[in-house]
Amino acid sequence: DIQMTQSPSTLSASVGDRVTITCRASQSISTWLAWYQQKPGRAPNLLIYKASTLERGVPPRFSGSGSGTEFTLTISSLQPDDFATYFCQQYESYTWTFGQGTKVEIK
Amino acid sequence: VQLLESGGGLVQPGGSLRLSCAASGFSVESYAMTWVRQAPGKGLEYVAGISGRGGSTDYADSVRGRFSISRDSSDNTLYLQMNSLRAGDTAVYYCAKASGLVASGSYLTDRGQGTLVTVYS
């Protein structure tokens, strides 16, 4: 299976900060990568697919980049609604694998 | 698009459960459908998937031989039959629709709110 490693596991930030989360794949996945946001007690929501394509309705302060094995999710100016856990997911293979998650906390 | 899971609950190790996912707004035969789970306080884990049209199936190593994914086009429902359950299977199980016909090359577009499975002794 393709392993996905996210960093950091936890991130403390303030409203207005620029935040970057990294996701690394154990082998090349081209741009077959998605990012999801999950809030406590809720199901995950799609933010970005194909590494950099913003899902409809997602605010443009979210952006994704990367290809091959290294990817980033950036929030340009953190808003109160953005405090949540973020997961990356590869879909290059039939069996999807997810990163372990990055919790964005209020500093 | 709506996905509504049911069938979760408490079960002893070695027991069985059958999860259902009622879909509306699309046909479960037109897209790959998957089950993804999340253990308490943990990340997301792919469990099983079934492709659109042909209906080929795939499983995570952790559940292969114990779980079975299927669908019924007559009532537009996805199922997950879970046998020989273990404590490690305790999780919220989400039914998810993929963006394409097969999971490879498709991402998760829609999911239900999940159903909790607790395996206890």
Side-chain angles (χ1 to χ4, degrees):
Chain A
D1 286 358
I2 300 173
Q3 306 302 316
M4 305 301 293
T5 304
Q6 273 182 250
S7 60
S9 299
T10 306
L11 188 160
S12 296
S14 302
V15 172
D17 283 354
R18 181 181 180 88
V19 165
T20 299
I21 298 168
T22 298
C23 181
R24 289 186 174 88
S26 60
Q27 65 188 69
S28 178
I29 57 171
S30 183
T31 55
W32 301 120
L33 184 103
W35 290 97
Y36 301 88
Q37 178 193 67
Q38 186 177 34
K39 296 184 178 179
R42 307 286 297 275
N45 285 320
L46 176 67
L47 295 175
I48 286 168
Y49 60 94
K50 209 148 189 288
S52 60
T53 303
L54 210 61
E55 169 70 344
R56 199 181 318 175
V58 173
R61 62 181 180 272
F62 291 91
S63 64
S65 65
S67 66
T69 62
E70 190 143 341
F71 303 86
T72 58
L73 171 70
T74 300
I75 309 172
S76 60
S77 178
L78 199 64
Q79 298 303 301
D81 192 48
D82 301 338
F83 291 97
T85 300
Y86 295 85
F87 295 95
C88 62
Q89 176 227 341
Q90 68 79 19
Y91 52 99
E92 192 273 346
S93 68
Y94 282 95
T95 50
W96 297 340
T97 47
F98 296 84
Q100 78 277 19
T102 295
K103 185 175 183 180
V104 177
E105 297 182 327
I106 300 173
K107 193 172 186 179
Chain B
V1 171
Q2 283 196 331
L3 296 164
L4 184 62
E5 302 97 337
S6 60
L10 298 171
V11 63
Q12 291 187 322
S16 298
L17 278 177
R18 189 193 197 201
L19 305 184
S20 300
C21 172
S24 59
F26 71 101
S27 168
V28 295
E29 287 191 321
S30 298
Y31 295 89
M33 297 293 297
T34 68
W35 288 95
V36 173
R37 69 185 180 184
Q38 188 169 33
K42 302 296 184 182
L44 299 163
E45 179 188 15
Y46 172 94
V47 174
I50 184 167
S51 66
R53 289 192 194 160
S56 59
T57 58
D58 196 60
Y59 299 91
D61 289 343
S62 57
V63 306
R64 187 174 290 114
R66 301 187 296 125
F67 290 12
S68 178
I69 188 172
S70 62
R71 67 185 180 208
D72 186 337
S73 58
S74 65
D75 59 5
N76 211 33
T77 299
L78 180 73
Y79 298 99
L80 185 69
Q81 177 66 44
M82 304 186 296
N83 299 328
S84 303
L85 282 161
R86 307 166 179 168
D89 297 318
T90 294
V92 173
Y93 285 72
Y94 295 103
C95 162
K97 170 186 167 292
S99 59
L101 276 173
V102 294
S104 174
S106 300
Y107 49 92
L108 188 165
T109 59
D110 301 273
R111 71 296 167 276
Q113 287 306 304
T115 186
L116 178 62
V117 172
T118 304
V119 184
Y120 75 104
S121 56

Short mmCIF file of all heavy atoms in Angstrom, two decimals, chain A residues 68-106:
data_model
loop_
_atom_site.label_atom_id
_atom_site.label_comp_id
_atom_site.label_asym_id
_atom_site.label_seq_id
_atom_site.Cartn_x
_atom_site.Cartn_y
_atom_site.Cartn_z
N GLY A 68 3.91 14.14 -7.63
CA GLY A 68 4.87 13.08 -7.33
C GLY A 68 4.70 12.56 -5.92
O GLY A 68 3.78 11.80 -5.64
N THR A 69 5.58 12.99 -5.03
CA THR A 69 5.53 12.49 -3.65
C THR A 69 5.35 13.57 -2.60
O THR A 69 5.17 13.25 -1.43
CB THR A 69 6.80 11.70 -3.31
OG1 THR A 69 7.93 12.58 -3.41
CG2 THR A 69 6.99 10.50 -4.22
N GLU A 70 5.42 14.83 -2.97
CA GLU A 70 5.34 15.89 -1.97
C GLU A 70 4.26 16.90 -2.32
O GLU A 70 4.22 17.44 -3.43
CB GLU A 70 6.69 16.59 -1.82
CG GLU A 70 6.75 17.54 -0.65
CD GLU A 70 8.10 17.55 0.05
OE1 GLU A 70 8.87 16.60 -0.11
OE2 GLU A 70 8.37 18.55 0.75
N PHE A 71 3.41 17.18 -1.33
CA PHE A 71 2.24 18.02 -1.54
C PHE A 71 2.06 18.95 -0.35
O PHE A 71 2.48 18.63 0.77
CB PHE A 71 0.99 17.15 -1.69
CG PHE A 71 1.08 16.15 -2.80
CD1 PHE A 71 1.67 14.91 -2.58
CD2 PHE A 71 0.61 16.45 -4.07
CE1 PHE A 71 1.79 13.98 -3.60
CE2 PHE A 71 0.73 15.54 -5.10
CZ PHE A 71 1.32 14.31 -4.87
N THR A 72 1.43 20.10 -0.61
CA THR A 72 1.13 21.03 0.47
C THR A 72 -0.29 21.56 0.36
O THR A 72 -0.82 21.72 -0.75
CB THR A 72 2.09 22.23 0.50
OG1 THR A 72 2.02 22.90 -0.76
CG2 THR A 72 3.51 21.80 0.76
N LEU A 73 -0.88 21.80 1.52
CA LEU A 73 -2.14 22.51 1.64
C LEU A 73 -1.83 23.81 2.35
O LEU A 73 -1.19 23.80 3.42
CB LEU A 73 -3.15 21.70 2.45
CG LEU A 73 -4.45 22.43 2.83
CD1 LEU A 73 -5.32 22.65 1.59
CD2 LEU A 73 -5.23 21.64 3.89
N THR A 74 -2.26 24.91 1.78
CA THR A 74 -2.01 26.22 2.37
C THR A 74 -3.32 26.94 2.62
O THR A 74 -4.21 26.93 1.76
CB THR A 74 -1.11 27.08 1.45
OG1 THR A 74 0.14 26.41 1.26
CG2 THR A 74 -0.86 28.45 2.06
N ILE A 75 -3.43 27.52 3.81
CA ILE A 75 -4.54 28.42 4.12
C ILE A 75 -3.90 29.81 4.22
O ILE A 75 -3.07 30.05 5.10
CB ILE A 75 -5.25 28.04 5.42
CG1 ILE A 75 -5.63 26.55 5.42
CG2 ILE A 75 -6.49 28.90 5.63
CD1 ILE A 75 -6.16 26.03 6.74
N SER A 76 -4.28 30.70 3.34
CA SER A 76 -3.56 31.96 3.22
C SER A 76 -3.79 32.89 4.41
O SER A 76 -2.88 33.61 4.83
CB SER A 76 -3.95 32.67 1.93
OG SER A 76 -5.34 32.94 1.92
N SER A 77 -4.99 32.87 4.96
CA SER A 77 -5.31 33.71 6.12
C SER A 77 -6.33 32.96 6.95
O SER A 77 -7.52 32.92 6.62
CB SER A 77 -5.86 35.06 5.65
OG SER A 77 -6.21 35.86 6.77
N LEU A 78 -5.86 32.35 8.02
CA LEU A 78 -6.68 31.45 8.82
C LEU A 78 -7.89 32.17 9.41
O LEU A 78 -7.76 33.27 9.99
CB LEU A 78 -5.82 30.87 9.94
CG LEU A 78 -6.30 29.60 10.62
CD1 LEU A 78 -6.34 28.43 9.64
CD2 LEU A 78 -5.39 29.27 11.80
N GLN A 79 -9.05 31.56 9.23
CA GLN A 79 -10.31 32.11 9.76
C GLN A 79 -10.83 31.23 10.90
O GLN A 79 -10.46 30.06 11.00
CB GLN A 79 -11.34 32.21 8.65
CG GLN A 79 -10.94 33.13 7.52
CD GLN A 79 -10.65 34.54 8.00
OE1 GLN A 79 -11.52 35.20 8.58
NE2 GLN A 79 -9.41 35.01 7.78
N PRO A 80 -11.70 31.77 11.77
CA PRO A 80 -12.19 30.98 12.90
C PRO A 80 -12.82 29.65 12.49
O PRO A 80 -12.71 28.66 13.21
CB PRO A 80 -13.24 31.92 13.54
CG PRO A 80 -12.76 33.29 13.19
CD PRO A 80 -12.15 33.17 11.81
N ASP A 81 -13.45 29.62 11.32
CA ASP A 81 -14.10 28.40 10.86
C ASP A 81 -13.12 27.34 10.39
O ASP A 81 -13.49 26.20 10.14
CB ASP A 81 -15.06 28.73 9.70
CG ASP A 81 -15.99 27.58 9.36
OD1 ASP A 81 -16.59 27.00 10.30
OD2 ASP A 81 -16.10 27.23 8.18
N ASP A 82 -11.84 27.71 10.28
CA ASP A 82 -10.84 26.78 9.73
C ASP A 82 -10.19 25.90 10.78
O ASP A 82 -9.39 25.02 10.44
CB ASP A 82 -9.75 27.57 8.99
CG ASP A 82 -10.30 28.42 7.86
OD1 ASP A 82 -11.41 28.11 7.37
OD2 ASP A 82 -9.62 29.40 7.48
N PHE A 83 -10.46 26.15 12.06
CA PHE A 83 -9.87 25.32 13.10
C PHE A 83 -10.55 23.95 13.05
O PHE A 83 -11.74 23.80 13.34
CB PHE A 83 -9.99 25.99 14.46
CG PHE A 83 -9.13 27.21 14.56
CD1 PHE A 83 -9.66 28.48 14.33
CD2 PHE A 83 -7.78 27.09 14.85
CE1 PHE A 83 -8.85 29.61 14.41
CE2 PHE A 83 -6.96 28.22 14.92
CZ PHE A 83 -7.50 29.48 14.70
N ALA A 84 -9.77 22.96 12.65
CA ALA A 84 -10.29 21.64 12.32
C ALA A 84 -9.11 20.71 12.10
O ALA A 84 -7.95 21.11 12.26
CB ALA A 84 -11.14 21.70 11.06
N THR A 85 -9.41 19.47 11.72
CA THR A 85 -8.37 18.52 11.35
C THR A 85 -8.39 18.32 9.84
O THR A 85 -9.46 18.23 9.24
CB THR A 85 -8.57 17.17 12.08
OG1 THR A 85 -8.51 17.39 13.49
CG2 THR A 85 -7.49 16.17 11.69
N TYR A 86 -7.22 18.26 9.25
CA TYR A 86 -7.08 18.14 7.80
C TYR A 86 -6.39 16.83 7.45
O TYR A 86 -5.40 16.45 8.08
CB TYR A 86 -6.30 19.34 7.24
CG TYR A 86 -7.05 20.64 7.44
CD1 TYR A 86 -6.96 21.33 8.63
CD2 TYR A 86 -7.90 21.13 6.44
CE1 TYR A 86 -7.69 22.50 8.84
CE2 TYR A 86 -8.62 22.30 6.63
CZ TYR A 86 -8.51 22.97 7.85
OH TYR A 86 -9.24 24.12 8.05
N PHE A 87 -6.93 16.15 6.45
CA PHE A 87 -6.37 14.88 6.00
C PHE A 87 -6.04 14.96 4.51
O PHE A 87 -6.81 15.51 3.73
CB PHE A 87 -7.39 13.74 6.16
CG PHE A 87 -7.77 13.42 7.57
CD1 PHE A 87 -8.90 13.98 8.15
CD2 PHE A 87 -7.01 12.54 8.32
CE1 PHE A 87 -9.25 13.68 9.45
CE2 PHE A 87 -7.37 12.22 9.62
CZ PHE A 87 -8.49 12.80 10.19
N CYS A 88 -4.92 14.36 4.15
CA CYS A 88 -4.65 14.14 2.72
C CYS A 88 -5.03 12.70 2.38
O CYS A 88 -5.12 11.85 3.26
CB CYS A 88 -3.20 14.42 2.38
SG CYS A 88 -1.98 13.36 3.19
N GLN A 89 -5.26 12.45 1.11
CA GLN A 89 -5.65 11.12 0.65
C GLN A 89 -5.11 10.88 -0.75
O GLN A 89 -5.26 11.75 -1.61
CB GLN A 89 -7.18 10.98 0.61
CG GLN A 89 -7.69 9.66 0.05
CD GLN A 89 -8.79 9.82 -0.97
OE1 GLN A 89 -9.43 10.86 -1.05
NE2 GLN A 89 -9.03 8.79 -1.77
N GLN A 90 -4.47 9.74 -0.95
CA GLN A 90 -4.05 9.39 -2.31
C GLN A 90 -5.11 8.51 -2.95
O GLN A 90 -5.71 7.66 -2.27
CB GLN A 90 -2.67 8.71 -2.32
CG GLN A 90 -2.59 7.33 -1.68
CD GLN A 90 -3.11 6.21 -2.57
OE1 GLN A 90 -3.22 6.34 -3.79
NE2 GLN A 90 -3.45 5.08 -1.95
N TYR A 91 -5.36 8.73 -4.23
CA TYR A 91 -6.28 7.87 -4.94
C TYR A 91 -5.65 7.37 -6.24
O TYR A 91 -6.34 7.15 -7.24
CB TYR A 91 -7.63 8.55 -5.16
CG TYR A 91 -7.61 9.93 -5.78
CD1 TYR A 91 -7.87 10.09 -7.14
CD2 TYR A 91 -7.39 11.07 -5.01
CE1 TYR A 91 -7.89 11.35 -7.72
CE2 TYR A 91 -7.41 12.33 -5.59
CZ TYR A 91 -7.65 12.46 -6.94
OH TYR A 91 -7.68 13.72 -7.51
N GLU A 92 -4.35 7.21 -6.20
CA GLU A 92 -3.65 6.62 -7.34
C GLU A 92 -3.95 5.13 -7.44
O GLU A 92 -4.04 4.55 -8.52
CB GLU A 92 -2.14 6.85 -7.20
CG GLU A 92 -1.32 6.55 -8.45
CD GLU A 92 -0.89 5.10 -8.57
OE1 GLU A 92 -0.98 4.35 -7.57
OE2 GLU A 92 -0.46 4.71 -9.67
N SER A 93 -4.11 4.48 -6.27
CA SER A 93 -4.36 3.04 -6.23
C SER A 93 -5.82 2.76 -5.90
O SER A 93 -6.54 3.63 -5.43
CB SER A 93 -3.45 2.37 -5.20
OG SER A 93 -3.82 2.76 -3.90
N TYR A 94 -6.22 1.50 -6.15
CA TYR A 94 -7.60 1.11 -5.85
C TYR A 94 -7.92 1.23 -4.36
O TYR A 94 -9.05 1.51 -3.98
CB TYR A 94 -7.85 -0.33 -6.32
CG TYR A 94 -8.07 -0.43 -7.80
CD1 TYR A 94 -7.02 -0.74 -8.65
CD2 TYR A 94 -9.34 -0.22 -8.34
CE1 TYR A 94 -7.22 -0.82 -10.02
CE2 TYR A 94 -9.54 -0.30 -9.71
CZ TYR A 94 -8.49 -0.60 -10.55
OH TYR A 94 -8.69 -0.67 -11.90
N THR A 95 -6.93 0.96 -3.52
CA THR A 95 -7.15 1.10 -2.07
C THR A 95 -6.61 2.44 -1.63
O THR A 95 -5.41 2.65 -1.54
CB THR A 95 -6.46 -0.04 -1.30
OG1 THR A 95 -5.10 -0.14 -1.74
CG2 THR A 95 -7.14 -1.37 -1.56
N TRP A 96 -7.55 3.36 -1.38
CA TRP A 96 -7.14 4.68 -0.95
C TRP A 96 -6.38 4.60 0.38
O TRP A 96 -6.67 3.75 1.22
CB TRP A 96 -8.38 5.55 -0.70
CG TRP A 96 -9.24 5.80 -1.89
CD1 TRP A 96 -8.89 5.70 -3.20
CD2 TRP A 96 -10.60 6.22 -1.87
NE1 TRP A 96 -9.95 6.03 -3.99
CE2 TRP A 96 -11.02 6.38 -3.20
CE3 TRP A 96 -11.52 6.51 -0.85
CZ2 TRP A 96 -12.30 6.79 -3.55
CZ3 TRP A 96 -12.79 6.92 -1.19
CH2 TRP A 96 -13.17 7.05 -2.52
N THR A 97 -5.45 5.51 0.58
CA THR A 97 -4.84 5.66 1.90
C THR A 97 -4.81 7.13 2.27
O THR A 97 -4.71 8.01 1.40
CB THR A 97 -3.41 5.07 1.95
OG1 THR A 97 -2.66 5.52 0.81
CG2 THR A 97 -3.43 3.56 1.97
N PHE A 98 -4.92 7.37 3.56
CA PHE A 98 -5.03 8.72 4.10
C PHE A 98 -3.82 9.03 4.97
O PHE A 98 -3.22 8.14 5.58
CB PHE A 98 -6.29 8.83 4.97
CG PHE A 98 -7.57 8.65 4.22
CD1 PHE A 98 -8.08 7.39 3.98
CD2 PHE A 98 -8.30 9.74 3.77
CE1 PHE A 98 -9.28 7.20 3.29
CE2 PHE A 98 -9.50 9.58 3.08
CZ PHE A 98 -9.99 8.31 2.84
N GLY A 99 -3.50 10.30 5.05
CA GLY A 99 -2.54 10.75 6.05
C GLY A 99 -3.17 10.65 7.43
O GLY A 99 -4.39 10.48 7.57
N GLN A 100 -2.34 10.77 8.45
CA GLN A 100 -2.83 10.59 9.83
C GLN A 100 -3.55 11.81 10.36
O GLN A 100 -4.17 11.76 11.42
CB GLN A 100 -1.67 10.21 10.77
CG GLN A 100 -0.79 11.39 11.18
CD GLN A 100 0.28 11.73 10.17
OE1 GLN A 100 0.21 11.35 8.99
NE2 GLN A 100 1.30 12.45 10.62
N GLY A 101 -3.51 12.91 9.60
CA GLY A 101 -4.24 14.11 9.99
C GLY A 101 -3.37 15.17 10.63
O GLY A 101 -2.37 14.87 11.28
N THR A 102 -3.75 16.42 10.42
CA THR A 102 -3.12 17.57 11.06
C THR A 102 -4.19 18.39 11.74
O THR A 102 -5.13 18.85 11.07
CB THR A 102 -2.39 18.46 10.03
OG1 THR A 102 -1.30 17.73 9.46
CG2 THR A 102 -1.87 19.73 10.70
N LYS A 103 -4.10 18.51 13.05
CA LYS A 103 -5.08 19.29 13.80
C LYS A 103 -4.60 20.73 13.89
O LYS A 103 -3.50 21.00 14.37
CB LYS A 103 -5.27 18.70 15.20
CG LYS A 103 -6.35 19.39 16.00
CD LYS A 103 -6.58 18.70 17.33
CE LYS A 103 -7.71 19.34 18.11
NZ LYS A 103 -7.94 18.67 19.42
N VAL A 104 -5.42 21.63 13.39
CA VAL A 104 -5.10 23.06 13.47
C VAL A 104 -5.84 23.64 14.67
O VAL A 104 -7.08 23.66 14.71
CB VAL A 104 -5.50 23.78 12.17
CG1 VAL A 104 -5.22 25.27 12.28
CG2 VAL A 104 -4.73 23.19 10.98
N GLU A 105 -5.06 24.09 15.66
CA GLU A 105 -5.62 24.57 16.92
C GLU A 105 -5.45 26.07 17.03
O GLU A 105 -4.56 26.67 16.40
CB GLU A 105 -4.89 23.93 18.10
CG GLU A 105 -5.04 22.42 18.18
CD GLU A 105 -4.33 21.85 19.39
OE1 GLU A 105 -3.28 22.40 19.79
OE2 GLU A 105 -4.83 20.85 19.94
N ILE A 106 -6.25 26.65 17.91
CA ILE A 106 -6.13 28.08 18.19
C ILE A 106 -4.93 28.33 19.10
O ILE A 106 -4.79 27.66 20.14
CB ILE A 106 -7.41 28.61 18.86
CG1 ILE A 106 -8.60 28.39 17.94
CG2 ILE A 106 -7.25 30.09 19.22
CD1 ILE A 106 -9.93 28.73 18.58
#
